[in-house]
Amino acid sequence: MSKSRKITLGVTAGALALGAGLGVTSIASATTTPTPGPTSSADTKAPSDGHGWHAGHGRDGGQIASKLASKLGVDQAKVTEALKAFRQANKPASPPSEGSETAKPDRAAQEAALAKALASALGVDEFKVTSALEEIRSEAKADKTAALKARLDKAVSAGKLTQAEADAVTKAVNSGVIGGGGR
């Protein structure tokens, strides 16, 4: 097997492993999971509709609501309810039909609409909400970058990847080719 073929296979394997491990996640997710109460856990999960500010990924476990509440100085339950209300208000009337291509909504417009809705629901200045969301996104991106670096460093140390392959994966993620980076 040629060296370039081995490198290509290595980078591809790394990309697949990265994709499986990290998934194609957005920096922040509006999906929240309230603290369990006396009802079953199935009753307390927030709906996953895949709309709003990256809602529906279900991976944040309520961290967005918690972080927003902390940054805005409001109760987490109010933030959770405001996020749920936003998702419900922006939920499509019907799911896309199979095989149809739907245009992706404008991300900037969605984020502006989220900030406006949260500001109104929470009684907080819209600029403050926008700033808090941007801070949370930046923190999450830094965490994701650090986790990727640690994972690739471990793969290099274990001999699973060369440093050049790890660098290629990092470059691909940062440029948005794989893993949802480069935004």
Side-chain angles (χ1 to χ4, degrees):
M1 188 179 287
S2 72
K3 186 175 180 176
S4 66
R5 178 92 171 142
K6 286 180 184 178
I7 290 173
T8 301
L9 286 174
V11 170
T12 302
L16 288 173
L18 177 66
L22 295 177
V24 180
T25 60
S26 297
I27 300 306
S29 172
T31 300
T32 59
T33 305
T35 305
T39 60
S40 72
S41 62
D43 294 337
T44 61
K45 290 186 179 179
S48 294
D49 60 29
H51 289 58
W53 193 52
H54 308 291
H57 294 286
R59 293 189 174 103
D60 81 324
Q63 291 177 6
I64 297 301
S66 174
K67 289 177 182 179
L68 261 176
S70 174
K71 289 183 183 301
L72 298 174
V74 297
D75 183 55
Q76 182 177 343
K78 284 183 74 177
V79 175
T80 299
E81 288 305 312
L83 288 168
K84 283 182 184 178
F86 179 79
R87 281 194 312 273
Q88 278 301 111
N90 290 283
K91 188 175 184 177
S94 63
S97 60
E98 193 171 322
S100 71
E101 293 203 19
T102 57
K104 290 193 176 199
D106 178 33
R107 179 180 170 152
Q110 276 189 318
E111 290 175 5
L114 174 63
K116 184 174 183 173
L118 288 175
S120 175
L122 301 172
V124 178
D125 182 63
E126 187 176 337
F127 178 76
K128 188 173 180 181
V129 174
T130 300
S131 296
L133 290 171
E134 288 173 358
E135 285 176 30
I136 291 168
R137 187 179 312 107
S138 294
E139 291 165 3
K141 185 173 183 176
D143 290 347
K144 183 177 176 183
T145 300
L148 173 63
K149 182 177 180 353
R151 192 162 185 194
L152 290 174
D153 288 348
K154 185 177 177 182
V156 170
S157 296
K160 293 181 180 182
L161 291 176
T162 66
Q163 187 59 53
E165 291 168 336
D167 292 344
V169 170
T170 300
K171 182 177 181 180
V173 169
N174 289 340
S175 64
V177 174
I178 59 173
R183 290 185 181 199

